[in-house]
Amino acid sequence: MEANPSANGRLCLSLFIFTLLCLERSAGFYLPGLAPVSFCEENSETDNCKSQIKLFVNRLDSVESVLPYEYDAFDFCKDEHEEWASENLGQVLFGERIESSPYKFTFKKPETCAKVCTKTYTTKDKIAALEFMKKGIELNYQQHWIIDNMPVTWCYDVEVGQKYCRPGFPIGCAIAEDGRIRDSCILNNQFNKKNTFYLFNHVDIIITYHSGNGENWEGARLVSARLEPKSYKHTKNNLNCDGPPMEIPQKLTGDLDVIYTYSVKFQENNTIKWASRWDYILESIPHTNIQWVSIMNSLVIVLFLSGMVAMIMLRTLHKDIARYNQIESSEDAQEEFGWKLVHGDIFRSPKKGMLLAVFLGQGTQIFIMTFITLFQACLGFLSPANRGALMTCAVVLWVLLGTPAGYVSARMYKTFGGEKWKSNVLLTSFLCPGIIFADFFIMNIILWQKGSSAAIPFGTLVAILAMWFGISVPLTFLGAYFGFKQRAIEHPVRTNQIPRQIPQQSFFTKSFPGIIMGGILPFGCIFIQLFFILNSIWSHQMYYMFGVLFLVFIILLITCSEATILLCYFHLCAEDYHWWWRSFLTSGFTAFYLFVYAIHYFFSKLQITGTASTILYFGYTLIMVLIFFLFTGTIGFFSCYWFVKKIYSVVKVD
């Protein structure tokens, strides 16, 4: 399988003690649509062995702009018989547009300085296309090429003896008016003319293959494709792949001919297996070793804190329960203090119970969706080779999980004593999804206006709405029907008719300080991983360590639960029984820290420029924050609910 998922699979499966299954999987298993393709020389071509190698192109993106663009948006060479690859929902949502290119190679047939096409620009014609190209160079837009479902990488030295391979290469580079060298212009000392753009109009491609000699398959399999972008000033009569660079002046004064060329050669390497051909890309990603060390360090700290919290809670609770159960006389009962005193109010229905129930239903839906998606990802089914699969899986699961959302929302609303079941079902179906869709639609209008490939086509928007209204909403109604048919959840103690007065609280036992403190520990165990996730989204780096992410996900569940339970216990000891909303907000406040970190990341790590890109960044960030708020808040609520039911079921109450 591609992207070496076996290591991630074993790490993930060990959490569930499925080591045997993992070992069985690691022996020659390929995902549907990702089976290896064999290539042969032109005179040896068969039905199972092709000689032509097609190069596909994907969208262009930049770390300085959130707006990706299709390959056809730039004035590059176009394929005369253009083919578009079929794209899944995830690829469309991420703005991927894969199409064929005019670059086509024959296996084991090297080419040197082969011409692809010529583009001519005059002072009267195609000025806009040239200006758009220069804008792309200025913003450091990257091309993404694909051969045999594998990214064509650009590898260069970053340190002595260490290479970094990135699945993209720049359109060109620029020298500023003050002579400042920008981006890739540092690679060649010939790029030295002030106020000039240099276009990478030539690529040297090296395709490495694994020969099938002695194997149970014919031909050869491609295991890597690397390129080196170069700039050459060709003339129509002379293709010179060893001359001066292709300059694009700041202002065009005459005709400009841009000739695109390529060279390709083939190398045999039988040490690299097809199943591990992504390894050289993933292993070269910066900070990978730092990530492992940081994750393990964070894991040790979180496990230590979790153990301390659990030990303190168990010992203190054991003493409380033993003391309360030993009290027999009424005189002793009058001397009671702490959480037992509020037994008559602990399950009093919360204010705004409808909204809380709706949030819990949506949070349950997101939790199950996240769990299943991450579990499949760490098994390798959603590897980087399977483009768009992660987002497709998440969206489809969310649509199909309307039933548990409706059931949980209806059951909790009924437990709170609510009777407006129609409003409950409608809010569960439309409130949070409606907010997300409205935000998403506004972002899409901006992308449409900018002509970005990330703009969702109208037909896809209609399909998403059809999935929402035609599948998710009916399933939510179905879940709510079963939820309302169930009896309200029984509580171990009765609720008094007259609410008990809550004593004056100290600063630390007030709700707001507790909520602020409650989100710190859960955020502390995810912020390292959050950096790499944001890098994969906004800096276009590959993310593949799903086994580690699943482990962090489990730690997040534990820390959210323990932090909420601990703070809930302190508030109950202070005789404050308003725990329903507080338990949700305590762990849900982790989303606030996520938002603060996203702001810090935007200003310290990204070079995004332009109003539209800034609006898009924060618009999409708000969607992430809302989803994370519902997810963590639901975890905290149900953990605290289980805890409160448990402790009041084991004490004697008259």
Side-chain angles (χ1 to χ4, degrees):
M1 194 188 317
E2 302 209 40
N4 192 20
S6 57
N8 284 332
R10 282 196 289 272
L11 174 58
C12 177
L13 291 172
S14 63
L15 299 171
F16 292 91
I17 323 176
F18 286 162
T19 309
L20 180 61
L21 176 61
C22 179
L23 293 174
E24 291 175 352
R25 282 188 67 260
S26 63
F29 173 73
Y30 301 113
L31 295 178
L34 296 181
V37 178
S38 296
F39 292 91
C40 299
E41 294 182 61
E42 196 168 12
N43 55 2
S44 305
E45 191 171 9
T46 64
D47 291 340
N48 298 322
C49 198
K50 308 190 288 189
S51 63
Q52 189 182 59
I53 301 173
K54 293 182 179 180
L55 188 148
F56 288 85
V57 291
N58 203 346
R59 66 175 187 178
L60 285 83
D61 52 38
S62 168
V63 294
E64 299 182 30
S65 174
V66 180
L67 302 167
Y69 288 99
E70 293 181 19
Y71 181 83
D72 287 347
F74 293 87
D75 194 29
F76 297 130
C77 299
K78 307 293 191 296
D79 189 6
E80 293 181 1
H81 308 287
E82 202 168 53
E83 302 174 22
W84 290 84
S86 58
E87 292 154 351
N88 56 41
L89 180 60
Q91 288 177 288
V92 175
L93 292 177
F94 274 124
E96 291 196 13
R97 301 291 184 269
I98 300 175
E99 58 183 287
S100 61
S101 77
Y103 297 85
K104 293 177 174 62
F105 319 118
T106 301
F107 183 66
K108 282 192 177 181
K109 184 180 179 182
E111 299 270 5
T112 302
C113 210
K115 181 179 176 180
V116 184
C117 75
T118 302
K119 296 289 182 178
T120 302
Y121 304 93
T122 67
T123 54
K124 297 180 180 179
D125 186 33
K126 301 180 72 173
I127 288 295
L130 186 62
E131 289 299 319
F132 190 71
M133 183 85 75
K134 287 158 64 175
K135 186 67 175 177
I137 294 174
E138 190 176 354
L139 291 175
N140 198 25
Y141 268 84
Q142 306 282 312
Q143 297 193 61
H144 296 275
W145 290 4
I146 301 166
I147 289 179
D148 190 31
N149 196 40
M150 180 176 56
V152 182
T153 57
W154 175 36
C155 298
Y156 53 89
D157 295 324
V158 287
E159 294 178 8
V160 178
Q162 183 180 355
K163 279 188 177 292
Y164 172 43
C165 296
R166 59 192 301 174
F169 65 97
I171 301 172
C173 64
I175 304 293
E177 194 171 356
D178 58 1
R180 182 167 45 89
I181 299 175
R182 297 191 56 196
D183 304 319
S184 306
C185 280
I186 61 173
L187 299 177
N188 191 335
N189 55 15
Q190 288 186 309
F191 300 152
N192 52 25
K193 200 171 185 180
K194 293 182 180 180
N195 203 24
T196 302
F197 294 88
Y198 293 94
L199 178 68
F200 292 139
N201 60 331
H202 176 87
V203 287
D204 287 333
I205 303 173
I206 299 176
I207 298 175
T208 308
Y209 62 90
H210 181 106
S211 177
N213 296 333
E215 305 282 353
N216 58 354
W217 40 269
E218 61 178 318
R221 292 174 178 175
L222 307 187
V223 292
S224 77
R226 310 186 192 204
L227 63 74
E228 185 177 352
K230 293 184 178 179
S231 179
Y232 295 123
K233 188 174 183 178
H234 305 294
T235 62
K236 290 184 178 181
N237 300 322
N238 181 28
L239 298 180
N240 183 10
C241 287
D242 193 23
M246 181 69 224
E247 298 177 2
I248 300 178
Q250 191 69 248
K251 187 175 181 181
L252 195 63
T253 56
D255 292 354
L256 179 69
D257 291 325
V258 177
I259 300 174
Y260 289 88
T261 57
Y262 73 90
S263 298
V264 61
K265 61 181 179 179
F266 296 83
Q267 293 179 349
E268 183 176 356
N269 188 336
N270 291 330
T271 59
I272 303 175
K273 302 294 184 183
W274 185 91
S276 57
R277 62 181 185 164
W278 284 65
D279 286 4
Y280 80 97
I281 306 173
L282 304 178
E283 289 170 0
S284 73
I285 293 176
H287 313 302
T288 301
N289 293 330
I290 296 173
Q291 181 177 7
W292 275 106
V293 173
S294 301
I295 289 294
M296 296 309 298
N297 183 51
S298 179
L299 179 63
V300 170
I301 293 172
V302 169
L303 289 177
F304 174 74
L305 291 175
S306 299
M308 292 294 293
V309 169
M311 185 175 66
I312 292 170
M313 291 295 299
L314 289 173
R315 290 187 63 182
T316 307
L317 269 176
H318 181 73
K319 289 180 181 178
D320 286 348
I321 293 169
R323 185 175 73 251
Y324 288 149
N325 287 339
Q326 286 174 358
I327 296 175
E328 296 178 357
S329 63
S330 59
E331 291 80 13
D332 290 336
Q334 292 176 0
E335 297 177 6
E336 289 179 5
F337 65 93
W339 53 268
K340 186 181 178 182
L341 284 178
V342 297
H343 66 82
D345 300 273
I346 191 67
F347 294 110
R348 189 176 301 281
S349 298
K351 296 178 181 178
K352 307 291 182 183
M354 170 83 79
L355 184 61
L356 180 57
V358 169
F359 282 175
L360 292 172
Q362 288 294 327
T364 303
Q365 187 176 13
I366 293 168
F367 165 69
I368 300 174
M369 175 199 75
T370 307
F371 179 85
I372 297 175
T373 302
L374 286 181
F375 188 68
Q376 289 190 1
C378 73
L379 287 176
F381 288 105
L382 308 178
S383 71
N386 201 357
R387 293 179 178 83
L390 188 73
M391 178 60 79
T392 302
C393 178
V395 172
V396 171
L397 282 173
W398 180 85
V399 169
L400 297 177
L401 289 170
T403 302
Y407 179 85
V408 170
S409 178
R411 189 85 191 276
M412 292 308 303
Y413 182 61
K414 189 172 184 179
T415 301
F416 295 157
E419 297 177 353
K420 298 178 181 178
W421 63 270
K422 293 180 182 178
S423 300
N424 173 260
V425 179
L426 290 172
L427 284 173
T428 305
S429 301
F430 297 110
L431 179 61
C432 296
I435 294 172
I436 292 173
F437 185 82
D439 187 322
F440 187 75
F441 186 73
I442 293 171
M443 299 301 104
N444 208 49
I445 290 175
I446 297 174
L447 292 168
W448 270 336
Q449 193 270 330
K450 292 291 182 180
S452 171
S453 69
I456 309 302
F458 181 75
T460 305
L461 277 178
V462 172
I464 292 173
L465 287 172
M467 292 169 64
W468 179 15
F469 286 94
I471 302 175
S472 181
V473 171
L475 288 176
T476 304
F477 273 74
L478 180 66
Y481 169 76
F482 287 110
F484 278 113
K485 281 192 68 176
Q486 296 284 330
R487 295 175 57 188
I489 300 173
E490 294 184 2
H491 296 138
V493 291
R494 294 190 303 272
T495 301
N496 296 335
Q497 292 184 351
I498 302 175
R500 179 185 178 86
Q501 185 175 359
I502 299 173
Q504 183 72 27
Q505 300 292 307
S506 67
F507 175 79
F508 292 104
T509 56
K510 289 181 180 178
S511 295
F512 191 62
I515 290 171
I516 293 176
M517 291 186 292
I520 294 176
L521 187 60
F523 179 76
C525 75
I526 66 163
F527 82 95
I528 297 173
Q529 201 68 18
L530 187 61
F531 170 77
F532 294 98
I533 293 172
L534 292 177
N535 267 356
S536 70
I537 296 173
W538 303 114
S539 296
H540 314 293
Q541 294 183 8
M542 285 188 180
Y543 189 91
Y544 68 101
M545 302 182 73
F546 292 108
V548 175
L549 184 60
F550 190 79
L551 190 62
V552 172
F553 172 77
I554 299 299
I555 295 172
L556 177 64
L557 298 183
I558 296 171
T559 49
C560 278
S561 303
E562 290 187 339
T564 308
I565 289 172
L566 184 63
L567 289 167
C568 179
Y569 174 74
F570 289 153
H571 285 104
L572 292 180
C573 287
E575 301 176 25
D576 184 353
Y577 51 83
H578 292 153
W579 65 272
W580 300 97
W581 270 106
R582 189 166 53 228
S583 63
F584 187 91
L585 296 174
T586 297
S587 56
F589 203 75
T590 310
F592 173 77
Y593 294 110
L594 169 63
F595 183 66
V596 172
Y597 185 82
I599 296 173
H600 163 74
Y601 181 84
F602 178 82
F603 287 106
S604 65
K605 304 296 181 183
L606 298 179
Q607 300 105 33
I608 289 177
T609 57
T611 305
S613 292
T614 303
I615 293 172
L616 288 167
Y617 176 86
F618 285 104
Y620 288 130
T621 298
L622 286 174
I623 293 177
M624 292 168 53
V625 168
L626 175 59
I627 291 172
F628 197 71
F629 169 72
L630 295 171
F631 164 68
T632 52
T634 300
I635 299 302
F637 175 88
F638 283 113
S639 302
C640 190
Y641 192 28
W642 170 84
F643 170 74
V644 170
K645 285 181 64 179
K646 195 72 175 175
I647 63 173
Y648 282 97
S649 65
V650 295
V651 294
K652 297 176 182 177
V653 177
D654 295 333

